[in-house]
Amino acid sequence: MDRPSAVATLRAAVSGFVSEYPVTDDRWCVALSGGADSLALTAVAAQAKPTVALIVDHALQPGSDKVAATARDQALALGCVDAQVVCVEVGTDGGPEAAARTARYRALDAARGQAPVLLGHTLDDQAETVLLGLGRGSGPRSIAGMRPYDPPWYRPLLGVRRATTRAACDELGVTPWQDPHNSDPRFTRARLRAEVLPLLEDVLGGGVAEALARTATALREDTDTLDAIAADALAAAGGPAGLDTARLAGLPAAVRRRVIRGWLLAGGARGLTDKQIRGVDALVTAWRGQGGVAVPSALRNQRLIAARRDGMLTLSTEPV
């Protein structure tokens, strides 16, 4: 039996995604960079329902406006009902990759209206994300990778290899943009893609990317279950005014730290690390009268202090 074409494989992936997840909107958007993954997804999405292509121009490279204009023309030629170029200003927080990602998602969210946004992340991207999480010791939440369904963001190609999207572009007769950042060794993800994953595939005899993606799925299912248990425990332990340390102390460690994380986020914390969460956890499990734990917050020039007072965990702010 002949193997299905690359375009047919992508159509099946998008169709299966729509069948599994409630993407019932009359139209949707696609985040289009001009690269092979998002270009191939745009072509298939535009055949499925009215599609608006959203092209973010980060202005980080010379000629980025021309790249964006070409992507817009390609989107319209592939059948999109509209294609918009959104220009952004990239900050510096978290490094260049993180800052660009933050600016991009903010721009996409502002431009999408009420429509969902399809993202062209593939199985290869998922494998790289898992490796990054492993290397940073970020815990199971990071190793669980990207969610396929995380409204308003939808990733229908997480089960598809990058080679398939490139082949689909060839079949469609469209030329994708080759982002030089994707092969620039200054960027961690580029080195993972070019050096680390190929080495692992060679040493372990292949199938590494698929195995990492399966690991992400399994961990995500476990994490979702523990998060649901933690949400109930958080409601029982208190609220924004404080958490009862006696109730927290009786919880399993994995649930207790999720309760603490959820409480900190609800109180305005952002960018939490495992070390910070464990520091707050020690106020419950290893209390010796120690001082509070500082955590970053979304408040301008402010940080949060988690402290223990009279058997309760409390949050306060102080200037940075």
Side-chain angles (χ1 to χ4, degrees), residues 154-296:
Y154 303 128
R155 300 178 174 91
L157 303 186
L158 282 183
V160 175
R161 296 301 303 265
R162 191 174 289 138
T164 302
T165 63
R166 291 172 179 163
C169 288
D170 289 340
E171 291 176 9
L172 293 163
V174 294
T175 302
W177 173 55
Q178 302 293 333
D179 186 350
H181 282 176
N182 288 339
S183 56
D184 190 334
R186 291 177 300 170
F187 298 105
T188 304
R189 187 177 284 268
R191 294 196 67 185
L192 278 177
R193 184 174 301 171
E195 302 174 31
V196 178
L197 266 171
L199 179 60
L200 286 173
E201 295 280 0
D202 180 48
V203 171
L204 298 178
V208 172
E210 290 86 352
L212 289 169
R214 288 195 302 272
T215 297
T217 299
L219 278 171
R220 190 164 54 250
E221 292 170 350
D222 292 349
T223 296
D224 287 347
T225 299
L226 286 170
D227 283 348
I229 295 171
D232 292 338
L234 173 57
L243 295 180
D244 186 336
T245 58
R247 286 183 175 272
L248 291 177
L251 297 173
V255 174
R256 184 177 60 250
R257 285 194 284 272
R258 279 172 169 78
V259 170
I260 290 171
R261 177 181 181 274
W263 175 68
L264 291 171
L265 290 174
R270 295 294 183 272
L272 290 168
T273 66
D274 184 64
K275 181 178 180 180
Q276 290 162 345
I277 294 171
R278 288 179 182 272
V280 178
D281 188 40
L283 298 176
V284 177
T285 61
W287 174 243
R288 300 183 304 276
Q290 65 264 39
V293 177
V295 298

Side-chain angles (χ1 to χ4, degrees), residues 16-70:
F17 184 89
V18 171
S19 297
E20 184 174 359
Y21 299 104
V23 192
T24 58
D25 305 74
D26 292 335
R27 63 170 56 196
W28 52 27
C29 299
V30 174
L32 175 60
S33 69
D37 301 337
S38 61
L39 197 57
L41 175 59
T42 298
V44 173
Q47 295 170 0
K49 67 172 64 179
T51 299
V52 176
L54 301 177
I55 302 118
V56 178
D57 180 2
H58 301 84
L60 293 176
Q61 302 174 42
S64 64
D65 56 336
K66 295 180 180 178
V67 172
T70 298

